[in-house]
Amino acid sequence: MKKLVVHELLRHTLLSRPESEIVSGDVRLPYAQMYDRVVRLADRLGRMGVGQGTVVGVLDVNSHRYLELHYALSMLGAVIHTLNFRLAAEDLAYTIRHAKDEWIFAWEGFAEAVRPLRSTVSRWVWMGDGADPEDGALTYEALVAEGRLVEPDGADRIDEADPYSIFYTTGTTGRPKGLMYRHRDVILASLQIAHHLALYRTGASVGTGDVFMPLIPFFHIHGWGSAIFVPYLGAKLVLPGRAGPAEQLALIRREGVTWSNMVPTQMQMLLDAAGDEPLGLKVLTGGSPLSSGLAQAARDRGVTYSLIYGGSDQLGASISVVPEHVDPTSAEAGRILATRTRPLPMVEIEVRDREGLAVPRDGKTIGEVWVRSPWLPQGYYNDPERTRESYVDGWFRSGDLAVLEDDGTLYVVDREKDAVKSGGEWIPCGVLESLLSEHPKVIEAVVVAKPDERWGERPLAVIRPRTPISPEELRAYLGGLVDAGKLTKFWVPDDFVFLDNLPVTSAGKVHKVSLRKMLGLA
Amino acid sequence: MKKLVVHELLRHTLLSRPESEIVSGDVRLPYAQMYDRVVRLADRLGRMGVGQGTVVGVLDVNSHRYLELHYALSMLGAVIHTLNFRLAAEDLAYTIRHAKDEWIFAWEGFAEAVRPLRSTVSRWVWMGDGADPEDGALTYEALVAEGRLVEPDGADRIDEADPYSIFYTTGTTGRPKGLMYRHRDVILASLQIAHHLALYRTGASVGTGDVFMPLIPFFHIHGWGSAIFVPYLGAKLVLPGRAGPAEQLALIRREGVTWSNMVPTQMQMLLDAAGDEPLGLKVLTGGSPLSSGLAQAARDRGVTYSLIYGGSDQLGASISVVPEHVDPTSAEAGRILATRTRPLPMVEIEVRDREGLAVPRDGKTIGEVWVRSPWLPQGYYNDPERTRESYVDGWFRSGDLAVLEDDGTLYVVDREKDAVKSGGEWIPCGVLESLLSEHPKVIEAVVVAKPDERWGERPLAVIRPRTPISPEELRAYLGGLVDAGKLTKFWVPDDFVFLDNLPVTSAGKVHKVSLRKMLGLA
């Protein structure tokens, strides 16, 4: 490759690992053959008018076609809009309108769900192995078949700073916010994840000999960069489509998968599917805290892990590592890997107070996480107001609360808007949730703010029990942790609520706003 | 860091590994303290007129001051000219004039040798721990002491595409050629060496826990990138100054060095110094072929190695790796690591015939190595003619002869101008030299072209014997290799010459032009 432009990454792979395979459903596609399909698709689309700046929505599970679109649209200078299939149709339509999508590529498995969206764009392409659709839409395989094996004219003129992709992040409040990523942002952010995992001692180490199966959907920052860094490594890539936990497990065993990424909920489901059988796998996880119970269950099954901290508005920022003085097989290493992260190489992370001054690196002073990196997005798409709030002097204000240790280790304790402000002090719900979830009778614990006349707010713990448990038992348990110096007494919740089901967001995280509504707190 | 600008690399290190040390002579400098010295030096130099585009020559062995200059000059937008202290004074003076150096920083240990150069520039700074020089020149430590702890105003405005450094490559013919590297070239090329070593199975793997001691002088592409990638890793860095092999060995043991880089000659000297004692060390080597005898001696002493292929006019291109199906501890792995390389991630390597067409990837068809990468220099400095010859359509024509295997593995057999053209076919001297040097009675073998009426050229072997050996013995030895299918019969030299000393270049390689002159062949 000559420039940091996405499709150019494939040039190295084509020469150095042409036979390495992509496995997707029944398809086994060496990179050399994938490259041919990418070129044919790009040629066909180019002749149909897709070009520099055309926004193309893609709605698919992780498949070889979705991967190919990552590179074919790059060759045309088009912008890939990775659509979040977990969004409600109405929100999805909003993001399509806001990004001005002209085309949509949709997996036929979503046909029923997305039919209302058909009219939102002028060109609709079905992806799948099915027969030609009755509705007269185009099919992906026909486009590939009609394409010539000639790279589009402009492919070499795409610039590093040209827009490559757009994604909408859904907070718990307000409309989705768009993030436009440049080619170089996506390349640098993705590759630095792989480089960090290779350079540091992590629980999700990567090398060119690994077999990768990303469970993080490509819509979410290109599967946390895996749609970019796996082809860069020329490594074997297994794409799970809509496989459920049991099928994922079968794929892992059949294809010799050694590495995956997933949120903790997916990890829990995969471990449940595996039962007592060992599962040797390296996992990059994140998105929500990894409870110590789940972490222990993973270690028991031979699953090693690292935690990634970041998000679509800052991209990858930090990943957990085993410090040099700690035995990587020890329980301490397991605890650190599940909770503490260190900046990716090239990234600067500061924890600042309300005045914007760095807090002491003492492992206890809580402040807000500020991040600077070469791949920081330029701001929210067409949203100058929210951009000004979050992107300040070249830094991104994350809105996350954390402490820094003296060696630069970051411990994110909570989202600022999720934390409880009590008597002028932050009470990080994440810490409480993690400790509560370690209780053997607890599956999951969520702590939310409850209005309080005296303190402003006080923490309320919502418990999803494994077996019946009383508030007294939990109070006694937390009291023990206070006595052991592991918990601040003032943080112990006054109230406990027990629920068997918790409301979740489209990303599978507990939806605290809904939860507080359910409890009559908001 | 926000951009791919050299001094910005330190920002990450400053936050994430501030206590990690640089060891240089009696000095132990944590990165945080080095950063302070860098800022003070930059401040002082800035106020003395060093600024955007000022060319500053540096003549030093690998020291902490040389390392600091890499970052301080970056902050000012100045261009660091890494002077080759092995050049004759006349050639050195030529490069200083051609690059238009305005300042020179010289190590006081070179005082005698470089006195004639004093008048070539307006500002001269001595580096060392000695007393103030009598000649009224400035001293490095005084400049640091006089500087304020304030980053220069323009430090944040340096651009990735601004020139960062200049170096002159000395061929065996013609005047030295200048290469101007941009910030991003130096960063990407350096880091990709580290990333390759971390991602592939190599004999010189790197991680943040390694302790590095580069023996490749910083003048040579910044110590093969180590002046850049070691601070990037925040790893402990041991700078050997002018330590000889015995002192290098003592440093390795005292400081716990795990990784080094060196040419094969340096490796031989280090192994000689170690005697029979094991030396556990990971070594990146290159610059000239690694003979199988030396490779075996290294393995016997617990030294693992990888070979790097590249040069100052293309920067790093490829490094040897152990293929996935080969046991890394096997003799086969040792042989592959000593001879075959694979492209660095992002690099494209093609082997082309005279018409510029790719030769078959069959492991035997010889062609010229063409390289493309994001860090390819823009051409030779102020030398459009030689630039046009070597930089073609975004590719660099290396002038090296090689074969490609079907999996993209590269085996460089010779420099084109060193190879023998016999009966219209290339005879790669490197292959012959490697086989001859495996004979127990041979220390070193060099093959050069001898004019021949019938064939145009025929190979002549120059042998540096360990114990007396006859041409008949060598012919019989090579004949056995022909019979075993390891050597083409036509390649066997007609003549053998025995010499106890061979002429070498400033880089420690055999100077074939001089050798041919000595032998009356040119």
Side-chain angles (χ1 to χ4, degrees), chain B residues 447-486:
Chain B
V447 176
V448 294
K450 181 184 166 179
D452 184 277
E453 285 210 2
R454 179 164 175 206
W455 300 105
E457 291 181 350
R458 285 298 297 156
L460 167 89
V462 183
I463 304 292
R464 199 172 135 222
R466 192 180 307 276
T467 54
I469 179 168
S470 67
E472 288 68 35
E473 268 179 277
L474 286 168
R475 261 188 219 106
Y477 166 70
L478 294 177
L481 293 171
V482 170
D483 294 343
K486 289 186 175 164

Side-chain angles (χ1 to χ4, degrees), chain A residues 211-225:
Chain A
V211 177
F212 294 84
M213 182 172 80
L215 294 184
I216 296 296
F218 282 167
F219 72 72
H220 196 238
I221 337 178
H222 311 291
W224 293 357

Side-chain angles (χ1 to χ4, degrees), chain B residues 317-341:
Chain B
S318 59
I319 289 177
S320 61
V321 311
V322 182
E324 276 148 43
H325 59 278
V326 174
D327 171 6
T329 63
S330 66
E332 187 188 357
R335 185 187 60 77
I336 293 169
L337 287 172
T339 54
R340 268 77 174 157
T341 60

